Amino acid sequence: AQSVTQPDIHITVSEGASLELRCNYSYGATPYLFWYVQSPGQGLQLLLKYFSGDTLVQGIKGFEAEFKRSQSSFNLRKPSVHWSDAAEYFCAVYREGGKLIFGQGTELSVKP
Amino acid sequence: DARVTQTPRHKVTEMGQEVTMRCQPILGHNTVFWYRQTMMQGLELLAYFRNRAPLDDSGMPKDRFSAEMPDATLATLKIQPSEPRDSAVYFCASGLEGGLSYFGAGTRLSVL
């Protein structure tokens, strides 16, 4: 069965530091992968997606993610974190019909 | 700016009462999803529709939950009777088959 694992429940980084959020997936075929961000009290906003092609994908707000088939990973990165990036981040894999299977989420805190 | 609209944003009710949540998908989208978010379970798919027909509602407790699409501009999720364990944030998302899902801001439900 398809699944998504985000090993880190909570991460704290200093403003200006680099960030990497981990995501591992379990899926038989080539997966379609997504990262969403959720600010407190808000819905989910799509940061970026991977369908095929270049394994390094660029998203909004300066985020990028790299698909690594050999590691079944799709980690999210940002070179320099801003205080406004504090939020919860969800990795998801697409299933047939458009359904998304989400990871448990990683809460990001940013220290001044 | 097209967006998924959910009403109400917040709902507080007493156990045993009926709750109806509404979703207006983005015009032209033919797929609508209902997700539930809780601290314990994370984001779970409850049901989804394509072209107004229910395709999968296996994630939904059948005895008290029902989901419908009376027309292409309205999806509803109803709980009758509501229970405290139903307290969660309920998200609606819409999209095109095989495409991205766009999420509403959610309905935060508290059942006392």
Side-chain angles (χ1 to χ4, degrees), chain A residues 36 38 41 94 97 99-100, chain B residues 9 35 37 45 50 56 98 101:
Chain A
Y36 282 86
Q38 183 181 29
Y94 174 102
K99 295 181 288 187
L100 293 173
Chain B
R9 289 294 313 277
Y35 290 88
Q37 185 179 36
L45 179 68
R50 178 162 304 129
D56 185 351
S101 291

Side-chain angles (χ1 to χ4, degrees), chain B residues 2-95:
Chain B
R3 62 182 66 187
V4 176
T5 303
Q6 290 187 247
T7 57
R9 289 294 313 277
H10 303 273
K11 176 71 175 180
V12 180
T13 191
E14 293 185 343
M15 182 173 63
Q17 296 298 306
E18 178 179 298
V19 174
T20 298
M21 291 168 272
R22 294 176 174 80
C23 168
Q24 181 177 353
I26 292 173
L27 189 64
H29 283 184
N30 66 343
T31 309
V32 174
F33 306 86
W34 283 105
Y35 290 88
R36 177 173 61 185
Q37 185 179 36
T38 61
M39 288 292 293
M40 294 301 296
Q41 300 298 324
L43 279 156
E44 306 172 279
L45 179 68
L46 295 176
Y48 81 104
F49 295 76
R50 178 162 304 129
N51 298 323
R52 296 176 53 202
L55 288 192
D56 185 351
D57 60 2
S58 59
M60 202 166 66
K62 301 293 191 303
D63 55 340
R64 298 183 300 108
F65 284 60
S66 61
E68 296 179 346
M69 280 201 74
D71 61 62
T73 64
L74 177 65
T76 62
L77 180 65
K78 190 175 296 185
I79 308 174
Q80 167 63 13
S82 59
E83 297 181 1
R85 59 180 167 152
D86 301 327
S87 298
V89 182
Y90 292 82
F91 287 105
C92 175
S94 73

Side-chain angles (χ1 to χ4, degrees), chain A:
Chain A
Q2 297 96 331
S3 66
V4 177
T5 303
Q6 294 179 246
D8 304 306
I9 295 174
H10 190 191
I11 283 183
T12 300
V13 299
S14 297
E15 190 167 17
S18 63
L19 170 70
E20 182 168 29
L21 302 182
R22 296 184 291 165
C23 172
N24 294 97
Y25 66 89
S26 170
Y27 192 71
T30 300
Y32 293 174
L33 295 159
F34 305 83
W35 275 99
Y36 282 86
V37 60
Q38 183 181 29
S39 298
Q42 301 298 312
L44 283 81
Q45 181 183 21
L46 179 69
L47 282 176
L48 48 78
K49 63 187 184 296
Y50 171 77
F51 282 179
S52 65
D54 194 346
T55 56
L56 183 65
V57 294
Q58 302 296 321
I60 62 171
K61 305 185 180 186
F63 285 92
E64 66 178 27
E66 187 170 13
F67 170 62
K68 292 186 177 179
R69 185 188 300 277
S70 61
Q71 298 177 16
S72 298
S73 70
F74 188 56
N75 295 347
L76 182 71
R77 301 194 295 246
K78 186 170 184 178
S80 177
V81 169
H82 188 262
W83 64 265
S84 60
D85 294 324
E88 187 149 21
Y89 291 80
F90 292 92
C91 182
V93 64
Y94 174 102
R95 281 191 62 187
E96 75 286 348
K99 295 181 288 187
L100 293 173
I101 307 298
F102 286 92
Q104 283 296 96
T106 298
E107 184 178 354
L108 173 66
S109 297
V110 180
K111 291 190 300 185

